[in-house]
Amino acid sequence: MQPAHLYGVSTPENWPNNQLIGSHVIVPPADTVAKIKERHEQQAQGIVQCLDWWFCYKKLS
């Protein structure tokens, strides 16, 4: 089964060798203000990395 189905994430083009985010996977965009705030907290804790509030990625654990 693909990581997207198992973990609720998306894989970028040429994964795991993507030029922008390497072997990281894309986290679905936050769809509420509360989830945006939660995403900022996750970023501060190093759980995810974000290029903007709607484009975040993380290592697949």
Side-chain angles (χ1 to χ4, degrees):
M1 199 166 240
Q2 298 294 322
H5 294 260
L6 289 174
Y7 301 104
V9 296
S10 297
T11 53
E13 178 183 27
N14 297 326
W15 185 81
N17 301 309
N18 181 269
Q19 290 181 341
L20 180 63
I21 64 173
S23 63
H24 290 79
V25 293
I26 301 168
V27 179
D31 58 356
T32 65
V33 173
K35 286 183 183 177
I36 292 170
K37 290 178 182 178
E38 179 182 346
R39 189 66 48 84
H40 283 293
E41 291 172 9
Q42 291 173 336
Q43 185 177 11
Q45 296 170 4
I47 298 170
V48 299
Q49 295 173 318
C50 299
L51 298 177
D52 206 335
W53 67 269
W54 53 269
F55 186 78
C56 297
Y57 55 96
K58 66 179 185 175
K59 286 195 179 263
L60 190 58
S61 44

